[in-house]
Structure formats: structure tokens, C-alpha cells
Amino acid sequence: MKADSKVLERINRLREEINYHNYRYYVLDDPEVPDAEYDRLLIELRQLEAEHPETIVPSSPTQRVGGMANAAFSQVRHRQPMLSLGNAFSDEEVISFDKRIRERLQTDSVEYVAEAKLDGLAISLQYEKGELVVAATRGDGETGEDVTHNVRTIDAIPLLLRGSGFPNRLEVRGEIFMSKQGFARLNKRQAENGEKLFANPRNAAAGSLRQLDPKITAQRPLSFYCYSVGVAEYGELSQGPYRISSHYQIMQLLRDWGLPVQREIALLPDIRSCLDFYRQILSKRDELPHEIDGVVYKVNNLLQQQQLGYISREPRWAIAHKFPAQEALTRVMAIDVQVGRTGALTPVARLEPVQVGGVTVTNATLHNESEVLRKDVRVGDSVIVRRAGDVIPEVVSVVLSKRPKDTTAFVMPSKCPVCQSTVTKEETISRCSGSLICHAQRKEGFKHFASRQAMDIEGLGEKLIEQLIERGKVRTVADLYRLDRDDLIGLERMAEKSADNILAALEKSKQTTLPRFLYALGIREVGVATALALAKHFGSLPAIMSADFDALIEVPDVGPIVANHVLDFFAEKRHQVIIQQLIDAGLTWPDMVLDSDDGESPLSGNTYVLTGTLKSMTREQAKQQLQALGAKVSGSVSAKTTAVIAGDKAGSKLSKAEQLGVKVLNEAELVALLTSHSA
Ligand code: IVH
């Protein structure tokens, strides 16, 4: 059926709306409607287009995936070569970069734009009359590969530019990358399907973009930020209506035209501020949703850029200040097997010490038996180890070409290396069946019980726990509260003073909270968040202990597996005895304010970000109290943040809040907020 004007109007309206919501989502990072509403619009458009196929145009938001798999990529010659960047690894190198620039320009001051260096792959996007026509990889810089069909599937890349007034031909350059979360999900899926795993998000992004079948690319979580325009267009942009004279203005213009620009970008007056920016970004590297490998500094003024020009494929006006590498090559000296709190056996690679990102790494986790076998890590192998933020270092892969002769594959022991009990296996996890007789499990259980987020017993560390267990001073965690000075004095490095400190810390820990206590019990798969959810839902320990399966799975985030772990835990007589002994020893906590029936807590729907140091409580305590009132607490500021709570020495999160016009609360205001809502 041919579309009448009313249908055509509706189709156009839907396309506009969908493009607008894409812009809100990908460029402004501030979606206006829930996903379901967006999906509804897309479904309606698909439906209308199916009824009236003659209305379909390539730029319609329904036309991201189309066509057949290619046999090969064709070549695209770049109209302007795609250059690379010089690197700096130290402040000194950056300072001499700035000095060279000021000498060449004969000026005292140069303004820079600093941007995070995205760890993905470069892409060139050609727009004609606002419509995406060609997308090409960098290739050798002169010629790249035509990946248009694949790039069209990336939702963050607009098929149509927004508004009007853009040049007839516009080449946008930027980076395609995969978020850390997207990468983890992709690798999990690959493993489940028995397919090859990617070593890091950059390889995953590159592999996903170079698929001959766009339908595969479409399923990969790729994203995009732009960082420049094809050099030839600068001239065009400097004239006519745009009057562009700086890189920063270009980025603003691109954003207005619907191209996503990263938030880690700043216009800075001099190179000193660039170095400050570098440190700021380095400190929040791990919080960012995607990987970055440094910061790029660019001379802001386009005329100055032109004056500086290029040297051997690199601009003189820009430099990449790299972060310390997160990966390094080393050798496996041994593979040990560690026993965790729940008896799970974890193979650990003992490594020749190596510097990774400024820290010496000597151990790396190999996760479990199937991981070791899949990566085929053997004693004597040269391996790539990776350390990212607080995450335990891990072995990424083996360099097979360096494998010595006569190595043997890893075998998981059939007896626990600590207590010799039989090892059982559920799915990929091997477990020691010794539970309480296994000293390793007991030790880990004590460590967990005493840890910061659990009972927070200061000074009760691994060495002390080991001695207490080995000397038979404690069998269960309840025994901790029966210790006296005589039990402690005489242990290694334990004089009267330190013994008193431990006893005081134990005494102090008796005043606790229900979520902490629940978490401290070490129920399988009950972490901080689940403990909090259980406490909020049931309000008291007896209510949790007597809850049945159906009641447990009512709790947000509790599924059948966790529900069964909770039931099994409290069903065990010895656990009931330990809990009673702890209560008899004086452990107390206030009951919780129950989540009201309609699921509306006083602060539900609000998101807070905590930054800086608080005086009256720790950030963790503030977080727990906010969550108990139904608020979300996030690690990063966005336009959706309700308020940033700034303590002393608040840093980049505070400036981000100011930048985005997000409300800022001080500590007194936080306390007022908490007390006004608590029961
Ligand atoms: S500007 C003239 N800005 O780094 C070169 N590049 O090592 C213009 N990259 O090929 C590049 N983030 O793929 C620029 N914010 C950023 C970047 C960035 C990542 C990549 C880009 C380039 C490579 C050079």
C-alpha cells in the first residue's frame, strides 16, 4: 500500500524523534525517555516501513544493519592522511614539547586542549550533506579499509547530522572503542559459546569492526567519540558562518551536530594545567567506563597549529602523554593453589617480579582450572600480566613462541593442599570438602569477618588470625569475643599495648549494623549489596533467619541461587550456635527501617555521588545510610546525578558537578538530609 501524506508525516516524525533520543542518550548522556519508550517508537517505525517499503531511506534509524556479508573490504584513500601522535612518557618530555612550541611560535603563552586518549581504533567518517556515506579505518594512514556497513551498526554514530548549516562535505575523525563492561560481557558470551576470547577491549573493538558480516558487528557493544575533523575542512570551517578559530570550538560544533564528544576534555591556559589534568584523569582512570591509555594535548588555536605544521607523519602541535602500561611480560615460576573462605581452590601464578603500572607484581590469579587450561599456562612460560586499578593482577595470555621444552600442562590437585580433604567440583569451581577442619578456609573466614566492610576489627590481620588458629585459641569467630590479654600476649609482635588495642577493637566492633553483621557471616554470594538488600527487606535478623524461599526471592537482587545459599546457611545447627554465641557476647545492632510496601523509600529515585573526606562518618557509612533510605550512590557524576556530596579535599568530581550544574551538598547538609528522613 502506498503511503498517504499522513503516514509519511508520521514516519518522518518518528525518525526525528528517534534521532533526537539518540542524541540525548549518546551525545548529552541525558536520556529523556525510558528504553521501553524508545523501543516503542522504533517498533512503530519498523512496522510502518514494512507496510510502505518505498519510504525506506538508508539514513532511517531502522537501517543500521543491512546488506549481505562482504567477501573482503575495499580500500579507501584518505583525502588527508590520518596521522599518528608523538609520545611523551614523563612531565619533562611534556615540558620540552611546550618549550619547542613556544619557541617556534615566538610566544610566551599557548592555550591547549587536553583530552583523554581513548584506547580503541581510529576511524574516519565522511558525511555528505549531513548523511554518513563512508567510514574507513586508518590503515597505513594513506589508505584504509571501507567499513561503512559495520560502522552504520554503531548506535553512537549518527547516520544523519543534526540541525543544518554543516559543510556539504565533512570528514569527522574519532575513536571506536568498547566499554570495559561490554568487553567483559562479550568475552563471557564468547567463552559460553566456546569461541576465542579477546585479550583486551581494544582488540575486541578492532576484531568486531573488521567482521565481514555486519550482523556480527551489530551484536558487539561498540561505541564512539570524535576528536577532530579531517584537516582539509579546518579551512572551510574557519570561513563563512562558522568562523571557527580553535580546536575547542570545533569540538563544540561537532557536539551540536550530534557527534558524541567525550567528557574528559578541557580547555587549559598552559602546560602546567595540562599536567594537572593528566594527574586528575590518571586518578580516575579506573572509574571510567572505557579504557584510556593517556592524555592528548593539542594546541587550541588553529592558526598556530597551521604555523607549527607536521614532521614525519606527526603533528608538531599535539602530543600523547602516555599512562604507565598496565601490561608487562614476565615468567611463571610456579603455579600454587590457594584455598578460599568457601573452600574454592584458586590457582595462582608465582611470577618473576615485574613492574606493572608502577607497582611490583609477583602473583597473578589464574581464576580456576578451566581458565588455566584454556590459556594453557605452564610453569616456565613467558606470560603477559595485566594489572588494572584495584583488580587483582591476572595472566592475560602465554607467549607460545617463548615456551621452553618439556613443560607440562597444569593439573588441579584432587586433595586440598592445606587439609588433604577430597576436592569436589561444581561446574568450573573446585572446592575443598573440609570446611571447618580446613585451616585455610577457617583463616579466610576470620579475615572476612574482621574486614573493613564487615565487623571492621582493626588490627586483626592475617598473621594474628593464623597464630590464633594454629595455637587453638579460636575455633569459630564467636571465640574471638572470649579472648583475654593472656591469650594475646606472647603471640608474635604482641606486647601488652597491642593486645589491649585488639581487645578494644573487638569491643568496639560489637556495636554494628545488621547489614554488616549479615555480610560478616560469610554466606555464599551474599556480598555487601545483597546483605544490605536483605536487611532492608526484612528489617531484623530473626525475620531473615525464618524467611522461606518464596520470601527470600522477593528481595531485590536475590535470585534462586542466593536464596538457597541463605536457606542452607541458616539451616545449619553450627551456624545457629555461632550466631547465638555472638549475640550473647554482646553484638548488637539497631533493626532497620523497612522498605515500605510500595517500594518508595524517602530517597528512592535519587542518585548521589560522594567525594572528599567526611568528618562525622566514613564515605562507606554515608553510602550505606543513603542506600538505606533508598537512594543510589554512584561513583561518577553525570547530568542525572541528584547531588554531589563534597567533603574535605573534594577533587575532580566536585569540579565536574560545577561544570554540569549539579547540586553540591556539604557535610552538614548531608547530615540534615539523613536525619530528616530517618525514622
Ligand atoms: S588526535 C593528528 N585525540 O591515538 C593526530 N587521537 O596515537 C590526531 N587517539 O591515531 C589524533 N584518543 O586513534 C587524538 N583524544 C584523542 C585521541 C586520539 C585516541 C588515538 C588516535 C590516533 C592515535 C595516535
Side-chain angles (χ1 to χ4, degrees):
M1 202 201 339
K2 195 137 173 44
D4 59 27
S5 67
K6 235 168 120 189
V7 171
L8 275 180
E9 213 171 282
R10 181 66 191 151
I11 288 179
N12 283 334
R13 178 85 198 120
L14 284 167
R15 288 179 186 160
E16 270 170 32
E17 268 193 54
I18 293 167
N19 287 336
Y20 169 75
H21 291 310
N22 271 334
Y23 170 72
R24 297 286 308 214
Y25 189 89
Y26 291 105
V27 181
L28 302 186
D29 191 16
D30 184 20
E32 208 174 64
V33 296
D35 290 358
E37 170 63 11
Y38 178 88
D39 293 343
R40 197 188 62 70
L41 297 172
L42 205 56
I43 290 168
E44 188 188 340
L45 178 59
R46 281 216 182 91
Q47 176 85 39
L48 287 177
E49 286 183 347
E51 286 165 20
H52 310 284
E54 77 284 356
T55 62
I56 299 177
V57 289
S59 62
S60 169
T62 59
Q63 301 302 301
R64 286 195 174 267
V65 194
M68 306 274 284
N70 287 320
F73 297 110
S74 55
Q75 304 275 304
V76 175
R77 209 176 158 75
H78 298 300
R79 286 165 57 218
Q80 285 290 317
M82 288 183 81
L83 306 165
S84 57
L85 289 170
N87 288 324
F89 296 93
S90 66
D91 287 10
E92 290 70 38
E93 287 172 89
V94 171
I95 286 166
S96 53
F97 158 78
D98 170 64
K99 189 158 167 258
R100 285 196 300 276
I101 285 182
R102 284 184 294 107
E103 277 169 9
R104 271 191 180 262
L105 295 175
Q106 299 278 301
T107 170
D108 289 340
S109 68
V110 174
E111 206 176 49
Y112 291 99
V113 174
E115 298 166 11
K117 186 168 189 293
L118 306 157
D119 201 4
L121 61 150
I123 193 84
S124 148
L125 306 173
Q126 292 178 35
Y127 285 90
E128 268 179 32
K129 298 202 167 68
E131 195 170 332
L132 177 67
V133 287
V134 174
T137 61
R138 178 172 181 278
D140 63 3
E142 300 288 338
T143 316
E145 284 177 326
D146 184 334
V147 287
T148 313
H149 291 292
N150 291 345
V151 164
R152 288 176 58 91
T153 69
I154 303 173
D155 291 324
I157 296 182
L159 299 178
L160 278 182
L161 297 181
R162 275 176 64 77
S164 56
F166 30 77
N168 271 340
R169 286 170 78 117
L170 176 69
E171 186 201 349
V172 178
R173 290 176 177 182
E175 199 86 348
I176 287 178
F177 59 91
M178 195 176 282
S179 70
K180 296 172 189 170
Q181 213 179 34
F183 165 72
R185 258 185 287 129
L186 171 61
N187 257 0
K188 184 158 173 268
R189 210 166 64 206
Q190 294 281 103
E192 283 163 5
N193 298 338
E195 302 207 31
K196 163 179 158 289
L197 299 199
F198 296 101
N200 53 46
R202 174 167 33 84
N203 290 359
S208 300
L209 193 66
R210 293 199 71 263
Q211 287 289 334
L212 291 168
D213 183 355
K215 287 192 196 66
I216 297 182
T217 310
Q219 293 161 13
R220 301 287 174 81
L222 293 174
S223 198
F224 168 79
Y225 281 130
C226 60
Y227 53 63
S228 73
V229 299
V231 184
E233 316 292 346
Y234 279 16
E236 198 177 329
L237 291 177
S238 67
Q239 293 148 19
Y242 314 110
R243 308 216 162 257
I244 289 295
S245 60
S246 73
H247 173 69
Y248 201 68
Q249 287 174 323
I250 291 183
M251 300 312 284
Q252 286 173 323
L253 208 50
L254 292 180
R255 203 171 132 92
D256 291 343
W257 288 337
L259 290 149
V261 175
Q262 63 171 326
R263 302 224 169 243
E264 285 62 46
I265 175 167
L267 176 60
L268 301 169
D270 54 27
I271 206 71
R272 282 276 151 215
S273 349
C274 288
L275 294 175
D276 288 344
F277 181 85
Y278 173 91
R279 267 176 273 283
Q280 216 182 80
I281 300 290
L282 180 57
S283 74
K284 68 172 184 190
R285 178 186 199 178
D286 300 322
E287 291 167 28
L288 290 180
H290 50 267
E291 296 215 332
I292 58 175
D293 57 347
V295 170
V296 183
Y297 310 130
K298 304 173 181 178
V299 169
N300 186 35
N301 185 299
L302 298 180
L303 271 178
Q304 289 183 332
Q305 283 192 4
Q306 221 169 40
Q307 275 173 280
L308 289 161
Y310 298 84
I311 177 166
S312 68
R313 326 257 78 216
E314 288 169 9
R316 279 205 193 84
W317 45 263
I319 197 164
H321 190 180
K322 300 288 286 265
F323 288 151
Q326 289 186 310
E327 290 186 358
L329 187 68
T330 185
R331 235 170 43 86
V332 178
M333 302 195 298
I335 299 178
D336 290 348
V337 174
Q338 281 180 351
V339 186
R341 173 167 58 86
T342 60
L345 303 190
T346 308
V348 175
R350 306 290 176 205
L351 305 169
E352 230 161 59
V354 63
Q355 288 283 115
V356 190
V359 171
T360 308
V361 170
T362 49
N363 302 311
T365 178
L366 292 163
H367 300 291
N368 56 50
E369 182 181 17
S370 24
E371 277 285 295
V372 189
L373 297 179
R374 189 179 59 70
K375 291 176 182 163
D376 192 16
V377 182
R378 303 179 180 196
V379 176
D381 269 341
S382 293
V383 292
I384 294 169
V385 285
R386 181 177 174 76
R387 186 194 142 262
D390 300 334
V391 186
I392 306 164
E394 62 170 356
V395 170
V396 178
S397 58
V398 173
V399 183
L400 279 180
S401 59
K402 292 185 185 244
R403 174 168 284 171
K405 284 204 192 76
D406 304 327
T407 58
T408 48
F410 171 80
V411 187
M412 194 58 133
S414 57
K415 299 253 184 269
C416 170
V418 176
C419 71
Q420 312 307 320
S421 298
T422 310
V423 170
T424 60
K425 220 176 143 180
E426 325 160 13
E427 294 187 14
T428 55
I429 314 283
S430 309
R431 214 177 279 282
C432 157
S433 58
S435 62
L436 269 187
I437 70 147
C438 180
H439 278 194
Q441 286 188 50
R442 235 195 263 176
K443 185 179 88 183
E444 294 303 319
F446 274 84
K447 269 166 64 182
H448 176 80
F449 185 81
S451 67
R452 276 253 307 267
Q453 293 180 305
M455 301 308 292
D456 194 16
I457 308 171
E458 226 181 298
L460 189 63
E462 178 158 4
K463 280 274 168 298
L464 183 55
I465 292 171
E466 242 166 45
Q467 295 181 68
L468 289 169
I469 294 175
E470 294 301 328
R471 299 189 188 197
K473 305 267 186 204
V474 291
R475 243 178 43 83
T476 75
V477 290
D479 298 335
L480 285 171
Y481 293 96
R482 297 202 195 101
L483 291 173
D484 57 26
R485 281 178 102 194
D486 294 341
D487 290 321
L488 293 168
I489 294 172
L491 298 179
E492 249 175 69
R493 277 182 286 161
M494 198 41 78
E496 285 183 18
K497 178 92 176 86
S498 21
D500 286 343
N501 287 342
I502 296 285
L503 292 175
L506 278 164
E507 199 52 39
K508 186 171 155 213
S509 73
K510 289 180 182 174
Q511 307 292 329
T512 186
T513 66
L514 180 55
R516 277 178 178 275
F517 181 74
L518 270 182
Y519 172 68
L521 291 176
I523 306 167
R524 272 175 67 186
E525 296 196 35
V526 175
V528 175
T530 309
L532 183 66
L534 285 166
K536 271 167 52 179
H537 188 84
F538 292 104
S540 72
L541 184 64
I544 299 172
M545 289 179 71
S546 58
D548 61 12
F549 183 85
D550 291 336
L552 285 166
I553 55 171
E554 288 277 302
V555 180
D557 291 340
V558 172
I561 296 179
V562 177
N564 277 323
H565 286 324
V566 174
L567 286 174
D568 291 348
F569 185 90
F570 290 119
E572 278 213 36
K573 186 78 188 140
R574 61 191 168 98
H575 290 152
Q576 295 169 11
V577 170
I578 292 171
I579 290 169
Q580 195 52 53
Q581 287 171 340
L582 286 167
I583 293 171
D584 292 345
L587 265 69
T588 62
W589 54 83
D591 283 344
M592 303 274 293
V593 186
L594 283 186
D595 272 353
S596 50
D597 287 345
D598 56 5
E600 277 298 307
S601 307
L603 297 182
S604 64
N606 293 345
T607 305
Y608 296 92
V609 174
L610 292 156
T611 179
T613 320
L614 299 171
K615 292 196 188 73
S616 57
M617 63 189 109
T618 65
R619 281 222 295 261
E620 187 52 41
Q621 287 166 334
K623 178 171 163 184
Q624 291 198 2
Q625 293 193 38
L626 285 165
Q627 286 175 337
L629 293 171
K632 270 205 213 151
V633 177
S634 160
S636 58
V637 185
S638 80
K640 284 165 282 179
T641 308
T642 312
V644 168
I645 294 159
D648 266 4
K649 303 217 183 71
S652 62
K653 287 178 192 160
L654 179 57
S655 21
K656 177 99 180 259
E658 283 159 356
Q659 230 174 45
L660 294 176
V662 168
K663 193 157 123 196
V664 177
L665 300 181
N666 62 25
E667 182 161 356
E669 289 166 318
L670 165 69
V671 173
L673 176 74
L674 292 172
T675 45
S676 72
H677 288 299
S678 48

